[in-house]
Every structure is written in C-alpha cells, then in structure tokens.
Amino acid sequence: MSETFQILIADDHPLVRGALKQALSTELDNVTLYEAGSLFEAIEQIEAHKGDIDLVLLDLHMPGMNGFTGLFTLRASYPDIPVSIVSASQDMPVVRRSIEYGASAFVPKSAPVDQIGLAVKTVLDGGMWMPDWARDAMENGPADDEATNLAEKIGQLTPQQLRVLNMLTEGKLNKQIAYELDVTEATVKAHVSAILRKLSVHSRTQAVIIARELQLQEPAIET
C-alpha cells in the first residue's frame, strides 16, 4: 500500500496498545498510529484529527464503553470511520453481536501478527474480516434474530440519544442528565420521548431493560 493510513488504537492497556502498534508498523508500510485509553479519549482523538482517521481498533472493555453502547456511539457519531473490535474474548455471541452492531472486523488479541495485518488491510480496502472459525460459525450457525432486531432499534438513535440512554441505565434523573450534557431538562425530556418511540417502548424502565441487553455478559478478561 502506497497510501498513508491513520489508525486509532483504543484500548485501556498500554501493553496491548504497544503490541498492536508494533504489529501494524510491521504489517503496513505507511501508517500513522494514535492511541486512546478510554471511549472519551478515542472521541477526543477522532475530533482532533477529524476527517483523517481511517480506522479505529476498539477494545470492548475499556472505560466508557458500557458494553456495546460505545460501539453504537462511534458508529452513530462517525459513520464513515470503520471500527474493528480487538478482543480477548472468542465467544461467538460476542463476535456475532460485534458484527451485527456495526463492526467491520473482529480480531482476537491472540491472533498472529500477520492475521492482524490482514484484518486491518481488509477493512481499509472496504471489506469485513473475522477468523475462519468465526466466519464458519456465522454462516452455518443459527441466526441471532434478537441481536438483529436490537441493532435495528438502537441504530435509529442519535449520538446524543445514545448518551441519554446510557445515563438512564445508570439511574440518573432528567435533572442530572441535563447538567452533565449541559442542556435543559426540556431537551432531555424530548430525547427520552424520542428514545421510547424509536425503541417501541412506553416507559423509561422498558428502555433501560433494552439498553442492558447491550452489556457484555462474559467477565472482563481483557489483558
């Protein structure tokens, strides 16, 4: 590849970021790498290099992610930037949901350097990538209609509505949400009404139940 690519590595473990930087520097000829240790830092980096980031490598367990909510937030906020999940988990439900919820690739942290490079090159070329065992399971296993339906509903929410929904799951009141987002309570109420409508529910409690389906069920085993 003669083109220069700019990639953001978002993981809260410096050793993992270092290993990924080394792998990408080995596999890609022209690449500029940025780092983030939380979802907030990732968004800061994307904003600082707006229009320049070609790919985000995303850890599901870092601070601010709140399960798959962080993935939805990035996809909603920056639809033109592909996201590849890099995870220590190899559970098929996690792989399947990552792809259903908008990731362009799922890369195990245990993958060899050449596979990491292949995954990144595939996504940069506009494709999708996952290990062969995951692809076989996706193609031959039962469809996850629940994940598909949830993705369609959550995918309708704007970035700000996703933030509000995330705060609802934390049990925050409208007044607290308004303060943290620096908006009026009336604006928060309007967002909540829109969230209920888009999720096809009638109460905040029902919305929170749906949002909690985005949580990761397996223990946080990232290293």
Side-chain angles (χ1 to χ4, degrees):
M1 296 184 188
S2 57
E3 185 178 353
T4 298
F5 291 103
Q6 302 194 44
I7 298 175
L8 173 61
I9 301 171
D11 192 294
D12 60 330
H13 292 89
L15 289 176
V16 172
R17 295 200 303 269
L20 287 172
K21 284 179 68 176
Q22 185 171 355
L24 295 179
S25 297
T26 300
E27 292 295 309
L28 300 176
D29 294 329
N30 300 296
V31 61
T32 300
L33 301 170
Y34 304 102
E35 297 182 49
S38 67
L39 181 63
F40 177 76
E41 289 181 10
I43 291 172
E44 277 193 327
Q45 286 279 24
I46 293 172
E47 288 294 324
H49 305 282
K50 198 133 190 189
D52 293 330
I53 300 295
D54 297 297
L55 171 65
V56 176
L57 301 183
L58 188 68
D59 171 30
L60 287 173
H61 285 289
M62 69 180 180
M65 286 295 292
N66 197 15
F68 286 101
T69 307
L71 172 60
F72 273 108
T73 298
L74 288 182
R75 297 298 298 129
S77 302
Y78 312 102
D80 294 332
I81 303 176
V83 177
S84 296
I85 298 299
V86 181
S87 178
S89 172
Q90 296 192 35
D91 290 345
M92 269 313 299
V94 176
V95 179
R96 186 181 296 276
R97 291 171 78 193
S98 295
I99 301 301
E100 287 278 4
Y101 296 163
S104 295
F106 187 94
V107 186
K109 287 183 177 177
S110 58
V113 170
D114 61 333
Q115 276 198 6
I116 294 174
L118 176 60
V120 169
K121 291 174 185 175
T122 300
V123 175
L124 290 173
D125 284 340
M128 298 186 68
W129 190 92
M130 67 187 77
D132 290 340
W133 56 265
R135 186 176 299 278
D136 290 343
M138 288 277 287
E139 292 176 352
N140 301 317
D144 190 344
D145 294 333
E146 183 178 337
T148 301
N149 293 335
L150 182 59
E152 290 175 353
K153 289 181 178 180
I154 299 294
Q156 299 178 64
L157 303 182
T158 66
Q160 192 77 324
Q161 288 165 0
L162 282 166
R163 294 185 190 100
V164 171
L165 180 60
N166 199 29
M167 292 179 182
L168 291 179
T169 65
E170 296 170 355
K172 292 179 179 176
L173 304 175
N174 285 357
K175 182 184 296 185
Q176 294 170 301
I177 296 173
Y179 176 78
E180 291 194 26
L181 295 180
D182 195 23
V183 297
T184 65
E185 284 191 58
T187 298
V188 173
K189 289 179 181 178
H191 281 315
V192 171
S193 296
I195 290 168
L196 298 185
R197 184 180 69 254
K198 290 178 178 180
L199 297 185
S200 302
V201 296
H202 304 289
S203 71
R204 293 162 69 109
T205 300
Q206 290 174 318
V208 168
I209 290 172
I210 288 179
R212 285 182 175 155
E213 292 180 28
L214 296 175
Q215 302 303 306
L216 291 163
Q217 301 302 314
E218 87 280 4
I221 55 173
E222 305 284 10
T223 58

